Amino acid sequence: MKRFATLATILLTSVILFTSVSVLAADNSLVNPSEVCTGSQADSAACKGRTTIDPISGNNGILVQAANIIAIMAGVAAVIIIIIAGIRFMTSGGDAEKIKNARNSVINALIGIIIIIVSRAIILFVTAKL
């Protein structure tokens, strides 16, 4: 039960963090530059380029790129943990405690991969709606 509570806390924190960062980082003034390109703002890069792409949360924005990098790093770490746990499992020599620890490592790594996939889906969903 303690593992489930920890997993739920991590998942909920990830969802809140990624959703709030995506929503807060979106600058709607860049979406329609014709409405805000007056006065001192007319010299900004968004107004000069007349772009409607948001560099923060757009299709290839900073948030999406950062999420991709974090997901790749976490995915690689999870795969490495699975490989190490497999080696520990094969070299356990029938010791029940070592087998249990290796199995728990594999399960935790798979849970981590699921969290990575869900968080990426949430990020893509939120940035697509902005």
Side-chain angles (χ1 to χ4, degrees), residues 2-16:
K2 185 177 180 181
R3 181 186 297 171
F4 178 73
T6 304
L7 174 65
T9 303
I10 291 171
L11 183 63
L12 183 62
T13 303
S14 299
V15 169
I16 291 171

Side-chain angles (χ1 to χ4, degrees), residues 43-105:
D43 293 333
S44 70
C47 290
K48 285 183 179 178
R50 293 289 185 211
T51 181
T52 59
I53 299 172
D54 189 356
I56 302 295
S57 64
N59 289 342
N60 203 14
I62 294 171
L63 285 177
V64 174
Q65 289 177 357
N68 286 339
I69 291 170
I70 292 170
I72 289 170
M73 289 176 15
V76 167
V79 169
I80 290 171
I81 290 171
I82 290 173
I83 291 170
I84 291 171
I87 292 170
R88 287 177 35 208
F89 187 76
M90 290 187 299
T91 60
S92 65
D95 185 8
E97 188 65 28
K98 289 181 180 179
I99 291 172
K100 180 182 174 188
N101 289 338
R103 184 178 296 131
N104 286 341
S105 295

